[in-house]
Amino acid sequence: MAARQLLLPALAAGVALGILGGDAGAVPAAAVGPTVGAAAALVAASFALRGGRRPSAAPFLGAAFLVALSVGLARAPAARPADAETVDQLMTGAETVIAGTVVDDPRPRGERQQVVIERVVAGAGAGRAIAARVLVWLPRTAAVAPGDRIRFTASLQAPQPFEGFDYAAYLGRQGIVAVAYVHEVAVTARDASTLREVVAAPRHALLAGLLSLVPEPEAALGAGILLGVRSGIAPEIEESFAAAGLTHVVAISGWNIAIVAGIVATTVRPLRRLRGGRASATLLGVGVIAWYVMLAGATPSVVRAALMAGAILLARLAGSRAHAISALLAASLAMLLAAPAVLWDVGFQLSVMATAGLIWLGDPIARRLSRLPAMVREPVALTLAAQLTTLPIVLGSFERLSLVAPLANVLVVPLVPLAMAASAAAAAVGALEPVAPVPVLLDIGAWWAGGLAWLLLAAMTAAGKLAAGLPFASVSLAAPGWLALAWYAMLVAAWALTRGSVGQAPPAPTVAALRLRRSRPSPIAHAARAAAHAARWLARPTRLLGASAVPVGILTLATLPDGRLHLTALDVGQGDAIVAETDDGTTLLVDGGPDPDVTLRRLGAALPFWQRRIDVILLSHPHQDHIAGLIEVLARHRVGLVVHAGVPYDNPAYARFLAAAAAEPGGRLAVAHAGTRIALGPRTGLEVLYPSAEEARAPLPDGDINNASIVAVLRHDAFSVLLTGDAEAPVETRLAAGNRLPPADVLKVGHHGSESSTTPALLEAVAPRVAVISCGRDNEYGHPSSATLDALASAGPIAVLRTDRDGAVEVTSDGARLWVHGGGRTLGPIAARGATFASGAHGPTTGSIAAWLCPTSPAPAICSPSSSSRRGSSATPRESARSRPPPPGWLPTPESRWTSAWSRPPPSSTTWTSPRSERGAASTASSGRRGSPSWDTRSSGRRWPRTRSGACSTTSASRAAGHR
């Protein structure tokens, strides 16, 4: 082996050992000069011993190693925090004013978010500069972005180890020496950097576009694969992927770069036929890869892979086939010199060693498996090669070994490029929708791209969970660090013994990467070519649409409305979130739980994949465990009507929610009081029972915001559900005494089953068949209380289901019967006994809201109401031949659920009704039925549902497909 071929390994090893020795203190920084002198002396002695003749290459190789060692020693201080002593002096436990600049995107963690700040100044006034970074935990509601200058008051704390993990050392390698927990933060300046905006704006737009079209938990997986945003990936998916050896799937690395390079190569192929086109195409490919690196966050593994790809492209431009191992070493050397701390980054270590394994061992293993089909042989060979070279790192860092990784990779790896391309298409369509709305084309594109991305990501998730669920899928195994040397020595020996039988390995790397002789393409080159072939095949529109639209269409048809009401109490932990789908596809969300990420995952699992619209959001009261998740729901979904009680409360999340709801395109923010009715379909509606306008203005019972909760009844024909929020005994007593509690089939138990609610008076008035308690597992409040459970048990035969034990609880009703699903069991059918929505009014009626959110009928003529109506107007388009007269007490309802699922609504999307009388007088709107409430109707000029008025009552209907 020529000595020149060992130059790059010698340089990389020298720099790495120098950084290690300098950081550990084994080699003092003062040794840099003597090391360089020793290198020069070695070369001079070699010339002297050869009598002035040119010596062998070995002395030069040794000198290069010593010089690289000295460079590593010189760069070692850059891997350590520079100002830890200053921070130590500030860690007194006392609060101080701290200012800093946000470094990167916030990382959500439940109800809080992490940001890293630099250019830190501690203390009032000019303060004291700290040449180190601080990790800050902010409220989830704080709106901060990279480059923002923020100020807060907090005490700095030292990072504490947990579960045997040296958290302080982990953060220290990133320059972070302290942690701060903050309740309030102020943004003092916004970054106006053009470069930052050029990089951040497209990334945020694509991320928002992807998240708007693909439901959770698949959307977070797609964001991790496409953009490297891994903070939102569900813990259960991360756990199953780790057990199945699939963690590399959600870590952007050489595989993703190869896919991008393959797509670019296919796109610019015609350019190569032009004069000078070869160089232009290569430079364009390098530029696209560089842009994608910035788009993906420029993590160490992405930068390493990009440097490798760039080296390969430039070498091919010079007319030679570059050696992958040379590019790998050159990229690693550049990163070590630029950022020495990357040497301790586990992602960088895994990326380098896995790539080395693919290059050196991938082909020999594949030859050993030559009898297997190619579609099985390649993933198995590459997985085994990567596992063999990364095994010491995996055992040392994660203490876990996956035994099913080859099988799991056979199932999942072929889906990765397809899922990445589909996620990119969904992100692009979603990003274009708000800036260039083209109703028909974007609706079709959103349905196709979002559905295809969801389908592929769901298939990846299912395959990962299937592999992780196999017996002995992974085993806990730890190994000391010194075993790594023995392991790699064994691998080298095994490769040397078998190289003759499996073919010669690629020649050793050389520093002259542009003059390398032709060699067998590396696995990364294979991946790039495969991606290019796939891109060429999919470039034909007919193939693309035919191959993808059929399964998406089949799944869409399978999830259309089934004619029943589906109400699900989501398992969101210690909080409330209930979603309902009516028989025609209208969606209602009551509260949003305490954790936005969990709420989005549970909501995505409960709704069809194409349903990205929430027609009505009802906030019972502004406690954090009910409102936190609604802010993200507003950001991810198109929302129609947003209803709350209008009770003031000092909660930043509440203020942010109201501001976001008011700014929602096509949405409407409304205050609902007792008597308010919301039409959710021809057979379904929601009626508010509490508080009335007077009760909302009066002091709260017991001064508790829980007693501001909206209490409402949801009716679907004869079936009814009483929704109580967190209302406690004073509210229940007031409602029972005023005969304002209707009988109901299902009771959503108030305040998570605390002993302060579910009084005997409420149970006697409601007489429920089923009680649903929403509470968190092992919550600190002891919910549900034994007193509440005893009260339910003594009230009669009531089936009690709890989200902490039974998970999500779904109640299904056809209007006459109900079925309850939860905890792996099904109850029913149970006969419904409640009054219908049209005729079952209880208590005084003070107003009504009717929301038709996406009509499809043409703009109707306007006819005046009868003289008996104090004010109002009614829409009267031509009547469909198939439309039937509405039933007594009918309220308007959206007719086309398919359109509303994919269309952005015009600015006005609701129809308001105002009270005529609080007496039970008849009106034309209620067909004069005794006891029915009466109101006048004021219709929005932008919405044309079918309505009725006293003077002229005609109907308009538009029939369209809905969803399950």
Side-chain angles (χ1 to χ4, degrees), residues 545-595:
L545 293 175
S548 58
V550 171
V552 176
I554 292 174
L555 287 173
T556 301
L557 292 175
T559 53
L560 292 178
D562 61 357
R564 298 183 177 186
L565 171 72
H566 296 263
L567 182 138
T568 306
L570 304 177
D571 180 14
V572 294
Q574 185 61 21
D576 267 12
I578 299 173
V579 63
E581 298 174 88
T582 69
D583 56 324
D584 72 339
T586 305
T587 52
L588 164 71
L589 178 62
V590 182
D591 294 330
D595 188 332

Side-chain angles (χ1 to χ4, degrees), residues 186-201:
V187 177
T188 59
R190 295 286 184 185
D191 180 43
S193 171
T194 303
L195 178 60
R196 186 184 295 275
E197 286 299 321
V198 168
V199 176

Side-chain angles (χ1 to χ4, degrees), residues 412-654:
V412 172
V413 165
L415 298 174
V416 174
L418 299 176
M420 186 176 176
S423 298
V429 173
L432 284 175
E433 194 173 8
V435 297
V438 183
V440 177
L441 292 179
L442 278 181
D443 287 351
I444 296 174
W447 167 79
W448 168 75
L452 182 59
W454 172 84
L455 178 61
L456 292 168
L457 293 166
M460 290 176 55
T461 302
K465 291 182 177 179
L466 175 65
L470 295 175
F472 304 104
S474 64
V475 295
S476 298
L477 185 64
W482 58 267
L483 281 180
L485 298 176
W487 177 259
Y488 288 123
M490 183 184 69
L491 283 184
V492 172
W495 168 78
L497 291 174
T498 59
R499 58 182 298 188
S501 59
V502 298
Q504 295 292 327
T510 172
V511 70
L514 302 183
R515 295 189 294 106
L516 288 172
R517 58 183 179 273
R518 299 179 65 87
S519 61
R520 181 180 295 111
S522 70
I524 293 180
H526 280 299
R529 280 204 301 271
H533 287 310
R536 283 197 297 271
W537 190 87
L538 294 175
R540 299 184 181 182
T542 55
R543 288 180 176 178
L544 178 62
L545 293 175
S548 58
V550 171
V552 176
I554 292 174
L555 287 173
T556 301
L557 292 175
T559 53
L560 292 178
D562 61 357
R564 298 183 177 186
L565 171 72
H566 296 263
L567 182 138
T568 306
L570 304 177
D571 180 14
V572 294
Q574 185 61 21
D576 267 12
I578 299 173
V579 63
E581 298 174 88
T582 69
D583 56 324
D584 72 339
T586 305
T587 52
L588 164 71
L589 178 62
V590 182
D591 294 330
D595 188 332
D597 299 322
V598 174
T599 299
L600 291 173
R601 293 172 200 142
R602 303 295 185 261
L603 193 60
L607 294 175
F609 71 91
W610 49 266
Q611 180 58 278
R612 305 302 298 156
R613 180 178 178 87
I614 304 296
D615 294 307
V616 179
I617 288 180
L618 174 66
L619 172 65
S620 66
H621 68 293
H623 257 166
Q624 193 71 8
D625 58 336
H626 291 248
I627 197 175
L630 291 180
I631 298 174
E632 287 299 316
V633 171
L634 288 173
R636 300 283 192 93
H637 296 76
R638 290 180 282 276
V639 177
L641 185 66
V642 180
V643 180
H644 66 119
V647 178
Y649 185 65
D650 185 15
N651 181 0
Y654 186 37

Side-chain angles (χ1 to χ4, degrees), residues 826-873:
T826 299
L827 306 178
I830 303 172
R833 60 184 182 186
T836 64
F837 176 60
S839 61
H842 287 264
T845 298
T846 60
S848 175
I849 301 172
W852 29 91
L853 303 171
C854 195
T856 57
S857 54
I862 302 296
C863 68
S864 301
S866 65
S867 58
S868 62
S869 178
R870 191 190 313 176
R871 67 180 179 182
S873 62

